[in-house]
């Protein structure tokens, strides 16, 4: 365990379903991130939250909706997904968004393997 | 634009040395990370270079040349457990907000054979 916990580890959903991914960290980090990892492609940054406030949304379709109720929890709500959304979704955290990243990098969770059928 | 290139796959023999290269083009460069990711697991932080030169950390070393936009990760005395993907990631200052963004390469899958 890295200190960042993601649930579920695996998720299969239909295109009309609604589901949520959960990420939790108790490392005292203030910044949390959602990344998408597709096979043989770079990690794609989706959303960034710093002190519970969304600081980045990298042109992510509205069928992905993030929620950050506090600095320890991050959700990704999913609805009407497409088969091309099938990927590994990684949550990460860092002490702060910015300079503090340099010493430790990000702490990643093990991800949720999502399959859209 | 911003671009990171690294080989897709590499194969090496147990006990040998392997060098994984990474080239990048980015504005506002502010450091380069290497991460290790075993299949089905979280990426884990290996190293961070912001100045030119070699940083050694046990069996792993990372090198950076900012003028050439080039880095490599050197793994010595390879072990079977080193079979994993190695992700190169560049930290850059964002143009409009002045904050930082980390851009990842696609990763290099390393296979260590007996």
């Amino acid at each position: 365990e890295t200190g960042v916990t993601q649930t579920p580890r695996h998720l299969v959903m239909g295109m009309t379903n609604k589901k949520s991914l959960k990420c939790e960290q108790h490392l005292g980090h203030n910044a949390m991130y959602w990344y998408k990892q597709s096979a043989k492609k770079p990690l794609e940054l989706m959303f960034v939250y710093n002190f519970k406030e969304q600081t980045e949304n990298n042109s992510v379709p509205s069928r992905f909706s993030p929620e950050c109720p506090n600095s320890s929890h991050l959700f990704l709500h999913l609805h009407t997904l497409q088969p091309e959304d099938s990927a590994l979704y990684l949550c990460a955290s860092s002490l702060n968004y910015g300079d503090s990243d340099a010493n430790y990098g990000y702490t990643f969770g093990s991800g949720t393997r999502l399959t859209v059928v | 634009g911003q671009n990171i290139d690294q080989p897709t796959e590499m194969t090496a023999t147990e006990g040998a040395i392997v060098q994984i290269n990474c080239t990048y083009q980015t504005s506002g460069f502010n450091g380069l990370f290497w991460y290790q990711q075993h299949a089905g697991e979280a990426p884990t932080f290996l190293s961070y270079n912001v100045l030119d030169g070699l940083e050694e950390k046990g069996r792993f070393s990372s090198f950076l040349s900012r003028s050439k936009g080039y880095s490599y990760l050197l793994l010595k005395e390879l072990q079977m457990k080193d079979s994993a993907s190695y992700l190169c990631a560049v930290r850059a200052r964002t143009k409009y907000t002045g904050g930082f963004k980390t851009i990842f390469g696609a990763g290099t899958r390393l296979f260590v054979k007996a």
Side-chain angles (χ1 to χ4, degrees):
Chain A
E1 285 298 328
T2 64
V4 177
T5 304
Q6 289 188 243
T7 54
R9 290 296 304 270
H10 301 273
L11 177 63
V12 179
M13 60 185 288
M15 289 189 283
T16 58
N17 291 160
K18 290 184 181 180
K19 297 286 184 183
S20 295
L21 310 185
K22 180 181 177 181
C23 176
E24 186 173 354
Q25 59 89 10
H26 296 287
L27 301 169
H29 289 173
N30 297 306
M32 297 186 77
Y33 313 80
W34 279 117
Y35 279 90
K36 176 183 179 182
Q37 188 176 36
S38 303
K40 300 183 179 180
K41 290 185 179 179
L43 281 171
E44 299 172 48
L45 179 63
M46 300 175 73
F47 302 104
V48 181
Y49 279 82
N50 195 31
F51 291 95
K52 301 189 303 177
E53 298 298 320
Q54 187 178 130
T55 56
E56 285 196 47
N57 174 343
N58 283 329
S59 303
V60 180
S62 60
R63 57 185 184 269
F64 296 91
S65 174
E67 179 190 1
C68 187
N70 54 60
S71 293
S72 298
H73 294 86
L74 185 64
F75 295 90
L76 187 63
H77 303 301
L78 315 171
H79 64 96
T80 59
L81 294 192
Q82 305 297 312
E84 59 264 29
D85 297 322
S86 298
L88 180 69
Y89 288 85
L90 289 165
C91 173
S93 71
S94 63
L95 184 58
N96 286 306
Y97 182 55
D99 289 333
S100 295
D101 291 351
N103 293 321
Y104 313 108
Y106 295 162
T107 304
F108 283 90
S110 297
T112 295
R113 174 68 62 186
L114 174 67
T115 304
V116 181
V117 297
Chain B
Q2 294 164 325
N3 192 49
I4 299 176
D5 288 310
Q6 47 182 137
T8 305
E9 290 184 357
M10 298 182 71
T11 301
T13 305
E14 192 176 18
I17 298 173
V18 71
Q19 178 175 310
I20 303 174
N21 296 325
C22 172
T23 58
Y24 63 88
Q25 297 95 40
T26 188
S27 56
F29 177 82
N30 199 259
L32 187 142
F33 294 91
W34 283 97
Y35 287 83
Q36 180 190 60
Q37 185 179 22
H38 286 99
E41 295 184 15
T44 55
F45 171 81
L46 288 178
S47 66
Y48 175 71
N49 294 65
V50 65
L51 300 176
D52 289 350
L54 187 68
E55 297 269 350
E56 297 187 67
K57 198 184 287 187
R59 293 189 299 113
F60 292 10
S61 302
S62 55
F63 171 84
L64 176 67
S65 169
R66 289 172 297 172
S67 61
K68 295 181 179 178
Y70 169 68
S71 172
Y72 67 72
L73 181 68
L74 193 71
L75 291 74
K76 302 177 186 176
E77 302 168 18
L78 278 174
Q79 302 175 10
M80 300 297 287
K81 67 178 183 179
D82 296 329
S83 293
S85 288
Y86 292 86
L87 310 179
C88 172
V90 169
R91 184 166 174 262
R93 189 174 286 279
T94 57
K95 184 176 180 181
Y96 298 105
T97 68
F100 294 97
K101 182 175 289 188
T102 301
I103 305 109
F104 285 83
T108 299
R109 289 191 67 188
L110 175 65
F111 299 93
V112 179
K113 58 182 183 179

